[in-house]
Amino acid sequence: MSNIVGEFQKNLDYYFSEALNRPFARPYWVFFSLLHKCNFNCQMCGVKKVLQDQELDINVLKKSLDEVAGWGTDCTVLFTGGEIFLRKDIFEIICYSVSLGLKTEAVTNGSLIDTPQFAARVIDSGLSNIAVSLDGACARTHDYIRGTEGAYSKAIRALRFLSEEKKKASHGPQISAWVTMMKENVHELYDIIPLAREVGVECLVYHPVIVAQADMQNTIKGGGLWITPELLGVFKSQVDRIVEYQKSSGLVAFLHDPYQWLGYFQGSLTKSDWKCNPFVFVDVGPDGAVRSCGPSFGNIKDMSLNDCLHTESARMARERMRACDKPCLQTCWARPGADSLKMVVNDFVTALDRSSLTKAEKRQALEEGIGSMDKYEEVVLGDKHYGTPAK
């Protein structure tokens, strides 16, 4: 019962946070971009070109991790970069986050997981998920996209080592592969599946290429990576095969309707199909700057992460996100279950109906859930300027 009510309350928080532009909800995803240094030159990534001399100080980072742990919410910390394993203190950082009880994940190009011993350290680190980028079913494609000769063989080696060490240890993080879909790999998107299965991947995630990573509101379609109109037929056939495989054999994780990818590249998606929630995701850069999408609205070197989320700049950034009409399909911004109040309530009632709770327990859960809506009513009725954030 507590799980059903808790999920309802979280979705209410995200819905009313977005509707009223007030942070009732804490971010579900907290990304820490530990550094922008990288040993690859990926075609679709621009982070290496900025803040190259910046690296998030471990003591400042630990202070923010303490704060996130203190929220007591169901959130996920993800360490990204640049290439995270270029940091000599990366395992100290991971272990500190894990020690706080935080669900902790990491993403890498895999190039530095180059021995069984290193892979074993990753497996024993306490990570919940380790994601390795895999953008092609052959070396020519992956190496071209990653801008580095040998990138493919290094990614495959990393995945094999991780899988082997996890089997030895009988524990460890979920081993994932992340695929960026673009023109250059559109013909082999499905072929990545058997490759991933063979090297020990446990979860395969596809996501569409983006043009402006830091600011989705200014991203535009086009450029050399975009899946062009003449390739959309090929793309659809690849998606069809991926969907059929997922239905029968799993492995692929769909975080939303995969056919929305077609609308994304066609430019036909609207907010009725997909929308972001400005409160779901926050990123802390290697310089300490905090942003969700667009300009930063605080810096953890100067203030707490919580205070950053309550600045006037944060409120304005969220307003711009709410007004943005460019669905980016980046799932770290999505909270589909909180897109409308009707959906929130329907999901809650359906979950209760399908549960094995007694009639009395269902009534109790319903009363508790509906009662939790009082705080939003108080805000709306008690503050005519309810767009103004409150601490």
Side-chain angles (χ1 to χ4, degrees):
M1 181 173 69
S2 61
N3 289 338
I4 295 174
V5 175
E7 185 68 12
F8 175 62
Q9 291 172 336
K10 281 189 290 185
N11 283 331
L12 282 175
D13 278 345
Y14 282 111
Y15 169 77
F16 281 107
S17 291
E18 195 273 338
L20 303 179
N21 195 359
R22 298 188 65 158
F24 295 108
R26 302 292 192 185
Y28 176 79
W29 290 104
V30 184
F31 281 29
F32 288 96
S33 300
L34 300 177
L35 75 174
H36 280 181
K37 294 177 184 176
C38 189
N39 52 349
F40 282 8
N41 295 291
C42 301
Q43 300 280 349
M44 65 289 192
C45 181
V47 299
K48 187 176 179 179
K49 299 176 183 178
V50 296
L51 303 177
Q52 291 188 40
D53 59 338
Q54 299 286 334
E55 188 169 294
L56 199 55
D57 179 79
I58 190 170
N59 293 318
V60 174
L61 174 60
K62 286 181 176 180
K63 185 177 179 181
S64 283
L65 289 171
D66 289 338
E67 187 177 356
V68 174
W71 292 347
T73 60
D74 175 28
C75 68
T76 299
V77 168
L78 187 141
F79 295 126
T80 184
E83 173 47 49
I84 64 167
F85 289 115
L86 288 172
R87 283 196 62 142
K88 303 301 182 183
D89 56 359
I90 184 59
F91 287 104
E92 181 182 355
I93 292 170
I94 291 171
C95 290
Y96 188 81
S97 180
V98 171
S99 73
L100 295 174
L102 292 168
K103 181 181 178 183
T104 307
E105 303 185 359
V107 59
T108 173
N109 62 35
S111 62
L112 300 179
I113 306 177
D114 53 0
T115 66
Q117 292 76 20
F118 196 99
R121 293 187 71 187
V122 176
I123 293 299
D124 291 334
S125 66
L127 284 172
S128 299
N129 181 71
I130 177 71
V132 178
S133 300
L134 184 62
D135 292 324
C138 65
R140 182 176 63 179
T141 302
H142 183 84
D143 288 1
Y144 173 77
I145 292 171
R146 293 285 153 179
T148 305
E149 186 176 353
Y152 174 82
S153 62
K154 292 174 181 178
I156 296 300
R157 178 187 62 191
L159 289 166
R160 289 191 191 278
F161 282 159
L162 289 168
S163 179
E164 291 165 2
E165 294 304 315
K166 183 174 179 177
K167 289 176 182 176
K168 290 179 186 177
S170 298
H171 69 263
Q174 177 177 258
I175 300 171
S176 301
W178 288 3
V179 183
T180 304
M181 300 180 294
M182 61 185 76
K183 182 178 72 174
E184 281 68 18
N185 62 9
V186 69
H187 289 89
E188 56 195 82
L189 292 172
Y190 176 82
D191 291 336
I192 293 174
I193 293 177
L195 170 65
R197 178 79 75 181
E198 193 269 327
V199 298
V201 170
E202 298 166 328
C203 179
L204 184 60
V205 177
Y206 292 87
H207 57 93
V209 70
I210 53 177
V211 177
Q213 291 173 302
D215 187 355
M216 299 300 172
Q217 297 161 41
N218 291 323
T219 194
I220 56 172
K221 68 178 182 178
L225 306 176
W226 203 259
I227 296 178
T228 53
E230 59 269 21
L231 288 173
L232 286 175
V234 174
F235 183 46
K236 182 179 184 305
S237 69
Q238 292 285 312
V239 175
D240 287 340
R241 296 180 69 192
I242 292 169
V243 169
E244 287 305 310
Y245 183 92
Q246 195 271 346
K247 287 179 180 177
S248 63
S249 305
L251 183 64
V252 182
F254 293 138
L255 305 177
H256 49 63
D257 180 357
Y259 287 100
Q260 289 184 345
W261 295 330
L262 294 170
Y264 173 82
F265 285 109
Q266 289 173 327
S268 60
L269 282 183
T270 67
K271 281 193 172 183
S272 63
D273 304 308
W274 186 96
K275 71 174 185 176
C276 64
N277 186 309
F279 294 85
V280 173
F281 167 85
V282 68
D283 175 78
V284 180
D287 57 348
V290 180
R291 56 171 44 85
S292 185
C293 182
S296 64
F297 43 76
N299 194 299
I300 61 170
K301 293 180 181 179
D302 308 319
M303 57 201 303
S304 71
L305 180 56
N306 186 64
D307 285 344
C308 291
L309 297 175
H310 287 84
T311 63
E312 175 62 14
S313 297
R315 188 191 67 79
M316 292 174 64
R318 294 191 293 263
E319 286 292 347
R320 286 191 291 269
M321 291 179 71
R322 294 168 73 197
C324 178
D325 60 356
K326 296 180 179 179
C328 60
L329 282 190
Q330 300 302 301
T331 50
C332 46
W333 275 278
R335 184 81 182 191
D339 280 354
S340 72
L341 187 57
K342 180 180 179 180
M343 185 179 298
V344 173
V345 175
N346 281 348
D347 287 350
F348 176 48
V349 173
T350 299
L352 284 177
D353 185 55
R354 293 177 178 175
S355 73
S356 59
L357 296 174
T358 65
K359 188 174 181 179
E361 288 172 332
K362 289 180 180 180
R363 177 178 292 276
Q364 180 185 345
L366 187 62
E367 291 176 352
E368 183 178 344
I370 298 302
S372 65
M373 298 181 70
D374 289 346
K375 66 178 180 181
Y376 312 111
E377 183 180 39
E378 291 172 4
V379 170
V380 174
L381 297 180
D383 183 0
K384 64 180 180 180
H385 302 296
Y386 51 77
T388 304
K391 295 185 181 181

